[in-house]
């Protein structure tokens, strides 16, 4: 009985996985089971909740800079169906930003201690816009749903034999998927958002070196570091800088090749 249920659930999940989307710019195949309209509704709902619970910055220059740079990057994304919003949370202790599905971007005022010019701020905004374009939130939710289903299947398959064994196996499955799949996948998304963000910066006419400067500033800042990159969803600043500088070189080389291949105008 358990085996039949196990096979049925696996077949159902594999059918869901057969429908893949493609991430803009990187063309990576991804699996998302959440409809886009539902994803955006969830993001809008979460944004309203956040706006009710945080204090927004009232510095007009700061708010204007974040909005101006954010909209410049958003315009380069060619995603007119996104309902972009840019908010600044008044908290100088936090140097961070995050993006909700559908393009609701929140920046903590403390980020301006690290992003010292508009190109560095553009790196932050482009990274968050990239998360929205790549639908990383919905993809992560799909992945975690699959991990939970896997744990349930393990418990179901072993439950008839020994309930204690099923409980132990389920715990091991949860720990293993978290370290082996969910956390590394978070790092993959961070690297991807950096790569897409650089292309958005370049398209918007920003200096891509601003991204390298920003992460160099972050590396030098007195911000808490993860105890281990392996146990963090975010890559270390050193690895991030290495990839960013490599991507900048590749983007410039591709642009130069395109110029050389273009026919000469009379």
């Amino acid at each position: 009985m358990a085996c039949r249920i196990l096979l049925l659930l696996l077949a159902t999940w594999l059918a869901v996985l057969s429908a893949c989307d493609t991430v803009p710019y990187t063309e990576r195949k991804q699996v998302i089971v959440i409809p886009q309209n539902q994803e955006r509704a969830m993001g809008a709902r979460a944004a309203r909740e956040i706006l009710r619970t945080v204090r927004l910055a009232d510095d007009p220059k700061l708010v204007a800079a974040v909005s101006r740079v954010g909209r410049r990057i958003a315009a380069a994304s060619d995603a007119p169906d996104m309902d972009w919003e840019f908010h600044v949370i008044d908290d100088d202790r936090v140097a961070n930003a995050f993006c909700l599905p559908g393009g609701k971007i929140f920046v903590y005022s403390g980020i301006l201690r690290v992003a010292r010019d508009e190109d560095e701020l553009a790196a932050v905004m482009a990274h968050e816009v990239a998360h929205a374009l790549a639908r990383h939130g919905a993809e992560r939710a799909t992945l975690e749903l699959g991990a939970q289903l896997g744990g349930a299947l393990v418990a179901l398959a072993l439950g008839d034999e020994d309930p204690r064994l099923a409980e132990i196996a389920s715990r091991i499955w949860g720990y293993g998927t978290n370290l082996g799949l969910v956390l590394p996948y978070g790092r993959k998304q961070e690297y991807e958002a950096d790569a897409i963000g650089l292309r958005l910066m370049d398209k918007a006419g920003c200096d891509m070196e601003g991204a390298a400067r920003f992460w160099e500033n972050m590396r030098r800042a007195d911000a808490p570091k993860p105890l281990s990159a392996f146990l963090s969803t975010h890559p270390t600043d050193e690895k991030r800088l290495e990839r960013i500088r490599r991507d900048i070189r590749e983007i410039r080389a591709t642009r130069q090749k395109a110029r050389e291949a273009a026919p000469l105008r009379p």
Side-chain angles (χ1 to χ4, degrees):
M1 178 64 179
C3 289
R4 286 198 298 270
I5 297 175
L6 177 62
L7 290 173
L8 178 59
L9 289 174
L10 280 173
T12 302
W13 184 246
L14 288 173
V16 170
L17 297 186
S18 64
C20 291
D21 292 327
T22 303
V23 178
Y25 295 96
T26 66
E27 298 185 351
R28 176 178 64 84
K29 296 297 182 182
Q30 62 181 171
V31 176
I32 299 176
V33 298
I34 301 173
Q36 204 161 19
N37 60 345
Q38 182 180 352
E39 173 194 7
R40 292 177 181 178
M42 291 164 60
R45 198 158 51 242
R48 289 194 297 270
E49 290 295 324
I50 291 171
L51 289 171
R52 280 198 288 264
T53 59
V54 300
R55 177 181 175 182
L56 297 181
D58 55 8
D59 182 339
K61 290 184 179 180
L62 172 60
V63 174
V66 169
S67 179
R68 179 173 61 253
V69 174
R71 295 197 178 282
R72 181 180 177 184
I73 296 295
S77 72
D78 292 330
D81 54 336
M82 285 282 198
D83 186 14
W84 298 106
E85 291 181 9
F86 305 94
H87 304 283
V88 183
I89 298 174
D90 186 17
D91 192 340
D92 291 341
R93 300 167 300 174
V94 180
N96 205 350
F98 62 90
C99 178
L100 297 174
K104 316 300 183 185
I105 295 174
F106 290 80
V107 177
Y108 286 89
S109 58
I111 204 76
L112 273 300
R113 292 186 291 106
V114 183
R116 298 171 184 172
D117 59 43
E118 290 209 354
D119 286 318
E120 293 179 17
L121 179 58
V124 177
M125 306 310 292
H127 179 88
E128 299 306 330
V129 167
H131 275 311
L133 284 182
R135 301 186 65 195
H136 282 161
E139 184 179 25
R140 182 70 176 266
T142 299
L143 183 72
E144 293 183 355
L145 178 63
Q148 291 172 7
L149 177 60
L153 292 176
V154 169
L156 179 63
L158 297 176
D160 289 343
E161 303 298 330
D162 187 339
R164 293 172 300 174
L165 181 60
E167 182 181 357
I168 292 171
S170 183
R171 288 178 183 173
I172 292 173
W173 171 272
Y175 182 73
T177 54
N178 192 46
L179 292 184
L181 187 62
V182 176
L183 292 184
Y185 212 88
R187 290 192 290 272
K188 180 189 291 186
Q189 288 182 337
E190 288 299 308
Y191 283 132
E192 187 170 62
D194 284 342
I196 295 173
L198 286 171
R199 284 155 178 80
L200 293 175
M201 289 180 69
D202 189 49
K203 193 174 178 182
C206 302
D207 180 10
M208 291 184 292
E209 291 293 339
R213 293 197 305 272
F214 172 79
W215 284 106
E216 183 65 35
N217 295 343
M218 285 290 282
R219 188 177 67 83
R220 294 174 178 172
D222 293 328
K225 302 295 181 183
L227 295 177
S228 168
F230 179 65
L231 294 174
S232 172
T233 57
H234 288 60
T236 62
D237 296 343
E238 291 80 6
K239 288 185 177 180
R240 196 165 214 157
L241 270 168
E242 181 182 333
R243 287 210 181 196
I244 285 172
R245 288 174 176 142
R246 183 198 67 190
D247 286 345
I248 290 173
R249 290 193 298 270
E250 290 178 356
I251 292 169
R252 287 174 173 166
T254 300
R255 188 198 306 144
Q256 183 61 31
K257 287 181 181 178
R259 287 174 179 170
E260 293 172 355
L264 295 175
R265 295 182 179 179

